[in-house]
Amino acid sequence: MMHNTENTHHLQEPHFNTPLQDYAPEVRQLVLDYTLQLADTSFILGHRLSEWCGHGPILEQDLAISNIALDLIGETRSLYQYAAELEGKGRTEDDLAYLRDAVEYKNPLLVEQPNGDFADTILRQFIFDTFHYFFLQQLQHSSDLRLAAIAAKSLKEASYHIKWSSEWVIRLGDGTEESKRRMEKAVDNLWPFSGEFFQITETEKRLLEQGIIPDYAPIKQQWDEHVTKVFDEATLTVPQNVWMQKGGKEGRHTEHLGYVLAELQYLQRAYPGLEW
Amino acid sequence: MPLLRSWKCTETGCYKHIAPLGLRRNGAPAQEILTPLLGGVGMGKAPVVSIVPLNRNLNKEEKIWQYLEDVYDPEIPVLSVVDLGVVRNVQLQDDKVLVTITPTYSGCPAMNTIATEIRLKLLGEGFKEVAVDTQLSPAWTTDWLSEAGKEKLEAYGIAPPVEPTGNVNALFGKDVTVRCPLCKSENTKLISQFGSTSCKALYQCQECLEPFDYFKCLK
């Protein structure tokens, strides 16, 4: 495949050499919606983590959090680029990130929750990383070749993330009296947001029927096992029978997302098309 | 420099240059270069390697590979993009060149710069049109770092990647023994899995006390 002269002028726009799959229009729309949901999830969490940059408790952890943020934003870019191609209306990854409103964002509620203290950030990350890691392991076998490639790529990075957040849950949970108290508080705060990853939406149900996305039930089992193992080690108790929040994956968000987007999107909203 | 033969893996489309008599430029046997490359391919599928037939473009393609050896990673300026193993393919049609690269880390900010540098280098060498494509699959692995690249890394003060011995999920487990690039002691400790760039971890030598970067293994 050789690009025409016009394309080669766009230095910053990566071209992917995987052709789009031949989907029926309604399936294509489902894959598009789902790709946006995955992109929004990594994007909002990546942004939340980037808020720590320069504020981390110690330099090494500041670097770690910023690195994880960078990996997630990288995954986000691949996903938004794919979504833009699927949509085929000339929107770019930047349009999808900077010019959609809160109701159009389909991230689970957990990732938009504020950073809180270091315990909140660690626990939020741990809940997400554990899902992300086991989920990507399955998604890399998707019949959608682009999603499979993005998953295989991100999985290598996610395996460092789950290790980092698991170690910190143990360090803080089984640490000082104060760190334990704060971890317990974080568990109380965030546990109700841990169930949404496994609650299946109408879009997900149809993609599952098409064999494009993995079944969440075995992933939930792996998630439970890992969380229990780490909590045991951390002398923390896994909460039982907690009522689970949901709605993010369908565009119903907590008030926090609006503030995140206000900061994220301010520049492009105020000065459309601004480049630097 | 001996004339290099170009090998193409029919699965990844990746070219590897192997000197005659099965030896690579740094003297390593060809099989040792190929085995880790192939080991990183696909999901257990056996890849097929074929020798690219000689054709009229080969010399020019070889030249392009040589030019690419002058394009350096902006964050590790001792490694060329060929050493780094990010160049997957070079295609030539008249004066048009298509270079396919694969990202090291999804969020690595150096990738845009690398794509731009590749274009500028080849345009500077007289090619009229140069495009750079991104290929995600198979995902980049540190196995694709060339042996010469690993030596250059260590000489530059960055410990090259070491094959992990344990499970990557082993909590608090020390995965590997990393050698201090300065005094070569193996008595080193991990400071942080995350370092100055996505691809590095922070270590410190317990003997000479030198803190150093480790180019972490990505499988």
Side-chain angles (χ1 to χ4, degrees):
Chain A
M1 183 177 66
M2 189 61 64
H3 292 288
N4 59 33
T5 324
E6 195 188 344
N7 276 342
T8 59
H9 288 298
H10 295 283
L11 292 184
Q12 301 300 320
E13 293 289 326
H15 305 282
F16 285 91
N17 63 357
T18 326
L20 284 183
Q21 275 165 269
D22 195 14
Y23 286 126
E26 68 274 16
V27 179
R28 190 179 170 113
Q29 184 63 44
L30 289 171
V31 177
L32 167 60
D33 291 344
Y34 189 70
T35 302
L36 282 172
Q37 176 184 320
L38 295 181
D40 294 342
T41 307
S42 300
F43 187 44
I44 298 301
L45 186 57
H47 178 77
R48 274 297 191 206
L49 290 175
S50 78
E51 293 172 352
W52 271 106
C53 186
H55 302 275
I58 50 173
L59 181 62
E60 285 78 9
Q61 299 319 316
D62 197 307
L63 283 173
I65 294 174
S66 303
N67 264 282
I68 294 169
L70 197 58
D71 287 342
L72 291 174
I73 302 289
E75 180 186 354
T76 302
R77 289 195 60 194
S78 296
L79 290 164
Y80 278 145
Q81 285 158 9
Y82 182 37
E85 281 180 54
L86 281 170
E87 188 184 54
K89 289 183 182 166
R91 288 209 285 184
T92 66
E93 53 176 310
D94 288 340
D95 296 328
L96 294 172
Y98 294 118
L99 300 175
R100 288 185 307 137
D101 290 329
V103 286
E104 295 171 87
Y105 270 76
K106 299 292 159 61
N107 57 280
L109 301 172
L110 177 82
V111 300
E112 68 200 41
Q113 298 309 303
N115 285 339
D117 60 14
F118 195 57
D120 285 318
T121 293
I122 290 296
L123 190 77
R124 185 186 61 196
Q125 197 60 31
F126 174 67
I127 291 171
F128 172 77
D129 286 343
T130 308
F131 168 75
H132 197 215
Y133 177 74
F134 291 116
F135 169 69
L136 293 176
Q137 275 191 342
Q138 299 306 317
L139 189 67
Q140 67 175 338
H141 304 300
S142 169
S143 59
D144 184 286
L145 298 179
R146 188 76 73 84
L147 287 180
I150 297 170
K153 177 77 201 145
S154 301
L155 177 61
K156 295 185 178 198
E157 296 157 11
S159 60
Y160 279 104
H161 305 168
I162 185 176
K163 190 169 172 173
W164 178 81
S165 55
S166 300
E167 286 178 359
W168 272 101
V169 167
I170 295 169
R171 242 185 225 112
L172 295 178
D174 192 23
T176 65
E177 210 172 289
E178 181 174 5
S179 71
K180 186 182 177 70
R181 181 178 58 75
R182 286 184 182 236
M183 276 311 285
E184 285 171 340
K185 193 168 131 278
V187 173
D188 287 345
N189 287 344
L190 295 171
W191 203 258
F193 298 108
S194 65
E196 189 181 1
F197 291 99
F198 308 105
Q199 284 165 356
I200 193 157
T201 64
E202 197 52 40
T203 301
E204 289 167 336
K205 191 172 153 228
R206 292 175 57 196
L207 285 167
L208 183 60
E209 287 162 4
Q210 299 275 341
I212 293 171
I213 67 166
D215 185 2
Y216 291 148
I219 299 172
K220 173 74 164 73
Q221 202 178 340
Q222 289 174 306
W223 186 90
D224 282 337
E225 278 167 22
H226 183 77
V227 167
T228 305
K229 188 179 100 186
V230 170
F231 269 36
D232 282 352
E233 192 83 21
T235 68
L236 294 168
T237 310
V238 179
Q240 301 297 328
N241 303 320
V242 174
W243 186 78
M244 291 295 176
Q245 299 279 359
K246 64 172 181 179
K249 292 202 286 193
E250 283 154 338
R252 296 189 308 277
H253 291 280
T254 60
E255 69 274 25
H256 305 296
L257 183 66
Y259 290 97
V260 171
L261 293 182
E263 186 178 325
L264 250 175
Q265 300 185 336
Y266 167 77
L267 208 63
Q268 283 303 321
R269 299 283 194 181
Y271 304 96
L274 185 75
E275 288 184 33
W276 65 313
Chain B
M1 187 186 290
L3 180 69
L4 301 175
R5 272 192 304 180
S6 186
W7 291 57
K8 184 181 185 184
C9 171
T10 51
E11 183 155 344
T12 63
C14 161
Y15 285 84
K16 279 277 157 178
H17 296 94
I18 296 163
L21 307 174
L23 290 179
R24 211 158 181 254
R25 268 159 296 166
N26 63 9
Q31 200 49 44
E32 282 182 24
I33 305 297
L34 279 174
T35 310
L37 166 77
L38 302 179
V41 169
M43 316 281 172
K45 281 183 284 180
V48 186
V49 176
S50 66
I51 300 175
V52 177
L54 283 167
N55 61 43
R56 61 189 171 79
N57 282 337
L58 196 59
N59 285 337
K60 266 194 167 176
E61 276 186 15
E62 288 291 348
K63 267 217 167 94
I64 294 172
W65 280 94
Q66 267 181 13
Y67 294 140
L68 293 178
E69 300 211 12
D70 293 335
V71 178
Y72 289 92
D73 180 330
E75 284 175 339
I76 312 169
V78 288
L79 286 189
S80 77
V81 291
V82 178
D83 290 328
L84 196 59
V86 299
V87 182
R88 301 258 61 76
N89 199 6
V90 171
Q91 262 178 49
L92 185 64
Q93 205 176 64
D94 305 321
D95 277 341
K96 299 175 187 172
V97 186
L98 174 64
V99 180
T100 306
I101 58 173
T102 193
T104 50
Y105 282 76
S106 313
C108 179
M111 292 315 293
N112 281 348
T113 311
I114 285 175
T116 306
E117 300 265 320
I118 287 175
R119 291 196 67 234
L120 291 177
K121 172 73 185 169
L122 296 180
L123 289 172
E125 295 295 343
F127 292 95
K128 297 279 182 283
E129 241 180 68
V130 182
V132 180
D133 255 8
T134 305
Q135 179 177 322
L136 286 177
S137 178
W140 182 82
T141 149
T142 36
D143 289 342
W144 294 350
L145 271 177
S146 71
E147 290 304 312
K150 287 179 191 167
E151 284 166 23
K152 287 183 202 168
L153 271 180
E154 190 168 21
Y156 186 61
I158 300 172
V162 182
E163 201 75 16
T165 47
N167 181 348
V168 73
N169 289 327
L171 296 173
F172 296 104
K174 197 184 169 195
D175 282 331
V176 286
T177 304
V178 175
R179 187 169 74 165
C180 170
L182 198 70
C183 75
K184 316 296 180 199
S185 164
E186 293 193 340
N187 182 12
T188 60
K189 73 168 182 190
L190 172 72
I191 304 289
S192 171
Q193 280 290 4
F194 298 91
S196 56
T197 65
S198 303
C199 53
K200 297 186 213 119
L202 284 176
Y203 270 74
Q204 187 179 20
C205 179
Q206 309 269 60
E207 296 293 332
C208 72
L209 303 183
E210 178 80 357
F212 62 91
D213 273 334
Y214 163 60
F215 200 112
K216 61 192 179 199
C217 190
L218 198 68
K219 285 289 188 179

